[in-house]
Amino acid sequence: MDDRAGAPGPSAGTLHRLERASGAIATQAVARMDEQLSWFRTMPADQRSWVMLVAQAGIASLVEWCRNPDRPPRLTGEVFGAAPRELVRAVPLKQTVDLVKVVVEVLDDHVREVAEPGDADTLRLAVLVFSREVAFATAHVYATFAEDRGAWDARLEALVVDALVRGERSEELPGRAAALGWAVATPVTVLVGAAPSDRDAHGAARRAARTMRSEALVGVHAEQLVVVLGGAEDLGTAADRVAEEFGPGPVVVGPVVEGLARAPESAAAALAGLRAAPAWPGAPRPVAADALLPERALDGDPLARLALEERVALTLQAAGGELLETVGAVLASGGNLEASARALFVHPNTVRYRLKRAAELTGFWATDPRGGWTLQVALALSRLGGERSLWQ
């Protein structure tokens, strides 16, 4: 509602004088900005000129509004349309409010100079009401920009996550992520699992990552929630926290890799682990993709088969044939060390020593149910390995 309804506006003579003085007022406003606002002095010349254009357009719009009080002011286009959209990106909302405040103050200082006798209070009231309209228009401009930027960011983030899921190893990935504010050049990891249906998956995962001081890229791909984490001092702890925001079912954490350019490797391992996770009903949540190597290998993941062969079979062979033989004997005996020692014609302590050495090399204990299962799958796959088989 117009606060001037039913009240006469400034006279035509006052508006004419204000229009003629608009250039000088705008110039004085910019000079005062330069004097009072330290950040304004450091702005590039082109941005300062845009501010000058906006100030002149604002005064011209004030004159036009006073001449046609029944016409609602179109300040978004009339005032802020004088400058390109880049100005909204370069000048934060708080600084824009400071600029508007300076222009209004300079206008108020010149009211008595440009107003005809007896017209000063009327013009001052018009300036006051108009400044309120400008404040609303400013908020509208920044809100619209934020919505547009948010929609663009969401599309760009979806493209980045989709590229990771598809295994696209591109040097453009870090650049695309940088456009989203991703400034992480440190190790990253990828989490995958079911997207929650009862809350905003993107917002919940991003807030959880923020509580752990971690950067996050979030996307939903075919009902799967994909989260890229980086920047945290402890990515494992951050992954545990973010995993709480996934939907029901397993959550798999890919291996930590150096930088976003290699994130597709982590994503590929995590997705392979998610496909194979149902084969391990008792898996922790979240579970590391490497902990699912035997299930992934059985599911046909060539990278998992290669990793098991290198970490288990080839490692044990390189350490000496007795380690490989001892591990095989313990697995065949169901973990019975005495029976294994009799089969190998050695003392049980020798078996224990060899198993300890094998665990140090591979990370798996043959007497541990999970470790024994992993070793058994690895050695079985090695027996089927063709030319590279250790058992030919």
Side-chain angles (χ1 to χ4, degrees):
M1 182 176 178
D2 194 340
D3 291 347
R4 301 169 303 137
S11 65
T14 295
L15 295 178
H16 180 68
R17 294 171 65 176
L18 177 60
E19 192 171 29
R20 292 184 58 185
S22 62
I25 294 175
T27 301
Q28 291 186 32
V30 171
R32 186 172 297 186
M33 294 172 193
D34 192 73
E35 176 185 344
Q36 296 182 355
L37 307 175
S38 58
W39 55 266
F40 183 77
R41 292 192 292 270
T42 63
M43 289 181 66
D46 58 340
Q47 294 180 10
R48 290 164 61 95
S49 67
W50 294 339
V51 172
M52 175 74 134
L53 290 175
V54 170
Q56 288 181 317
I59 298 172
S61 183
L62 168 62
V63 173
E64 183 63 25
W65 184 47
C66 291
R67 284 176 175 163
N68 300 278
D70 295 331
R71 182 181 68 85
R74 296 185 293 271
L75 300 181
T76 301
E78 294 176 349
V79 178
F80 295 99
R85 288 180 59 84
E86 286 78 3
L87 187 61
V88 179
R89 186 180 295 110
V91 183
L93 176 59
K94 182 180 182 302
Q95 294 181 351
T96 300
V97 171
D98 291 338
L99 296 177
V100 172
K101 181 180 177 182
V102 170
V103 174
V104 172
E105 289 176 350
V106 173
L107 264 173
D108 189 69
D109 291 345
H110 287 76
V111 163
R112 293 198 175 277
E113 295 179 14
V114 300
E116 292 188 332
D119 215 12
D121 290 341
T122 303
L123 179 58
R124 183 170 283 109
L125 176 61
V127 170
L128 178 62
V129 175
F130 186 78
S131 66
R132 186 194 65 181
E133 298 296 331
V134 170
F136 287 138
T138 302
H140 180 268
V141 167
Y142 277 85
T144 302
F145 176 79
E147 290 178 358
D148 293 344
R149 178 60 188 268
W152 167 251
D153 285 354
R155 289 193 294 269
L156 183 57
E157 187 174 29
L159 288 174
V160 171
V161 172
D162 183 67
L164 294 177
V165 171
R166 289 187 289 103
E168 178 183 320
R169 293 195 59 178
S170 171
E171 296 302 324
E172 296 180 358
L173 283 178
R176 294 175 184 173
L180 294 168
W182 179 277
V184 174
T186 55
V188 301
T189 188
V190 178
L191 286 75
V192 296
S197 58
D198 58 344
R199 58 187 179 277
D200 174 22
H202 293 77
R206 192 170 284 108
R207 285 190 296 271
R210 192 178 300 118
T211 63
M212 303 304 297
R213 300 181 181 276
S214 175
E215 297 282 351
L217 294 174
V218 186
V220 176
H221 186 85
E223 298 183 353
Q224 295 174 347
L225 180 60
V226 182
V227 180
V228 184
L229 294 179
E233 294 182 2
D234 186 348
L235 281 177
T237 302
D240 290 343
R241 172 64 185 89
V242 174
E244 298 174 6
E245 305 302 331
F246 281 70
V251 177
V252 183
V253 184
V256 175
V257 294
E258 288 296 328
L260 197 63
R262 294 187 58 189
E265 300 174 21
S266 182
L271 289 167
L274 188 63
R275 289 191 296 270
W280 184 11
R285 174 188 159 109
V287 59
D290 284 354
L292 288 161
L293 282 176
E295 288 78 13
R296 288 167 53 192
L298 293 176
D299 192 46
D301 181 6
L303 294 178
R305 298 189 62 161
L306 179 62
L308 284 175
E309 184 175 11
E310 291 179 346
R311 289 178 56 179
V312 176
L314 294 179
T315 297
L316 291 177
Q317 183 191 45
E322 67 276 2
L323 289 187
L324 187 61
E325 183 183 20
T326 300
V327 170
V330 171
L331 293 175
S333 68
N336 190 314
L337 299 187
E338 286 72 17
S340 302
R342 289 193 298 270
L344 296 171
F345 301 102
V346 296
H347 193 276
N349 286 341
T350 301
V351 175
R352 292 186 179 91
Y353 170 78
R354 291 177 180 176
L355 290 183
K356 180 180 179 182
R357 178 62 178 157
E360 291 173 348
L361 292 173
T362 65
F364 305 112
W365 280 92
T367 54
D368 172 73
R370 184 66 193 172
W373 159 248
T374 303
L375 291 168
Q376 195 163 16
V377 171
L379 297 181
L381 291 173
S382 178
R383 295 186 181 99
L384 300 173
E387 295 181 358
R388 299 187 65 184
S389 173
L390 306 177
W391 310 93
Q392 291 184 336

